[in-house]
Amino acid sequence: MTARADLAFLFPGQGSQSIGMLGDLAERHAVVQKTFIEASAAMGEDLWKLASEGPESLMNRTDHTQPLMLTAGVAVWRAWQEGGGPWPGFMAGHSLGEYTALVCAESLDFPTAVELVRDRGRFMQEAVPEGEGGIAAVLGLDDDAIQSVCATATADGVVEPVNFNAPGQVVIAGHRQAVDAALEAAKAAGAKRAVHLPMSVPAHSSLMEPAAEKLAERLTRINIEMPAVPVVHNVDVQVSDSAEAIRQRLVDQVRSPVRWTECVQALVRRGAEQAVECGPGRVLAGLNRRIDRRINSQAIYDADTLASALNSLEEP
């Protein structure tokens, strides 16, 4: 396998799913539905029907969203491979997308990972009772201002920055009342926008400690290989040098912030000039443009974008 050192493949997390996703790609590339059939067998549910028809309420339930997004990313990667696309020099994924990256880098077995992320979603949902958690996006404040905003709201409970997605775009999470208070403080501090997101799980906050403990036990039963392509981790922006280090970083990730801005900056420092987002939507490609315009980003989510990416990045 020859990898292109200037190419990085990226995989999105929860939030990019939508009814009908990858429908066009599946019509023209049989590997997409084959991938969903394989995942459905592991999950014990028809994930392609869920992706195609919904309902949205089930699609957005985290123990379904995570296997769904993992499968979508793997399906796009396999379509890329079938098309003769080159291997990248690095991979990374946003939150749940880190698991997708590890599958595509041949570190995690795909059906095993489907079951693992289903359980991860369940552990996260169980960590905080329904209605007690909150998660919100704040736009237009720098990271230090976000830290200060959260500090002013701690009398109402836990609230912390959990996703550093791009300069001026940070997600906060914690107890619902504390998140409400932080949003008001953010508006007073001059945020351009401060709004709740449509999910109740305060992912990547310290409230996920119970989920991390369960995930740690679950991961002891999972075989992890060293990736064929280095994967940059969310939690510390590093590349693991052992399977045990990967296991520990996955545990830490669920209770720690996603340092996406730094991950993209690290990829650029390591020589990435091109980035391809694999999965429905183009969230990460948009974030990348705000992080560092030196990396040219494109997304694959249908047959046309796959053809365009293959054409622009074909081996010389």
Side-chain angles (χ1 to χ4, degrees):
M1 179 191 74
T2 302
R4 278 186 54 163
D6 66 335
L7 177 62
F9 261 63
L10 310 176
F11 301 89
Q14 295 185 85
S16 292
Q17 70 276 5
S18 62
I19 294 174
M21 65 183 191
L22 303 189
D24 172 75
L25 191 66
E27 285 183 9
R28 294 164 65 177
H29 297 274
V31 70
V32 173
Q33 282 206 44
K34 288 178 182 176
T35 302
F36 272 84
I37 289 169
E38 186 180 354
S40 297
M43 183 83 170
E45 295 186 47
D46 189 341
L47 287 178
W48 182 248
K49 183 177 181 181
L50 179 59
S52 303
E53 303 174 12
E56 206 167 75
S57 58
L58 188 58
M59 176 181 280
N60 292 338
R61 208 176 80 187
T62 190
D63 58 337
H64 283 73
T65 310
Q66 295 197 32
L68 201 58
M69 286 299 299
L70 174 85
T71 304
V74 172
V76 174
W77 166 249
R78 288 177 173 179
W80 169 265
Q81 286 187 299
E82 279 202 350
W87 276 74
F90 291 92
M91 291 184 180
H94 188 286
S95 187
L96 176 277
E98 189 164 298
Y99 288 78
T100 319
L102 289 166
V103 170
C104 295
E106 301 180 353
S107 177
L108 289 175
D109 170 71
F110 175 47
T112 301
V114 170
E115 297 180 64
L116 174 62
V117 300
R118 175 199 61 199
D119 291 345
R120 177 180 183 265
R122 181 167 53 82
F123 299 155
M124 292 169 71
Q125 189 73 63
E126 291 171 350
V128 178
E130 186 74 31
E132 290 188 14
I135 188 163
V138 180
L139 307 183
L141 295 180
D142 64 29
D143 293 352
D144 289 341
I146 292 288
Q147 296 280 9
S148 297
V149 159
C150 289
T152 67
T154 54
D156 295 290
V158 170
V159 58
E160 301 159 344
V162 294
N163 290 356
F164 293 96
N165 286 334
Q169 186 169 332
V170 178
V171 173
I172 62 174
H175 291 115
R176 177 77 187 205
Q177 284 186 306
V179 172
D180 288 343
L183 289 182
E184 291 306 311
K187 292 171 186 174
K192 293 179 182 176
R193 199 162 180 233
V195 295
H196 280 284
L197 297 176
M199 57 185 288
S200 63
V201 175
H204 302 291
S205 74
S206 58
L207 296 181
M208 291 291 104
E209 185 60 38
E213 292 174 3
K214 292 178 181 177
L215 186 60
E217 191 282 326
R218 182 72 171 79
L219 281 162
T220 63
R221 295 180 270 127
I222 298 294
N223 182 55
I224 298 177
E225 302 288 345
M226 283 301 294
V229 174
V231 174
V232 176
H233 294 281
N234 290 173
V235 70
D236 57 4
V237 200
Q238 299 297 314
V239 172
S240 292
D241 59 5
S242 69
E244 190 51 46
I246 294 172
R247 190 174 279 109
Q248 186 59 51
R249 284 181 168 109
L250 292 178
V251 173
D252 291 339
Q253 188 224 46
V254 78
R255 60 187 170 199
S256 305
V258 172
R259 295 163 59 182
W260 188 251
T261 298
E262 293 175 85
C263 286
V264 174
Q265 292 168 339
L267 290 169
V268 173
R269 286 195 304 272
R270 290 173 180 268
E273 298 174 357
Q274 305 282 340
V276 176
E277 177 179 359
C278 268
R282 55 183 84 185
V283 170
L284 300 183
L287 292 177
N288 290 357
R289 282 189 281 275
R290 298 189 60 182
I291 295 168
D292 194 327
R293 287 188 173 271
R294 288 177 295 174
I295 190 166
N296 178 47
S297 299
Q298 55 188 310
I300 300 175
Y301 51 85
D302 61 16
D304 288 343
T305 51
L306 173 61
S308 175
L310 285 169
N311 183 59
S312 66
L313 294 169
E314 63 184 354
E315 294 282 17

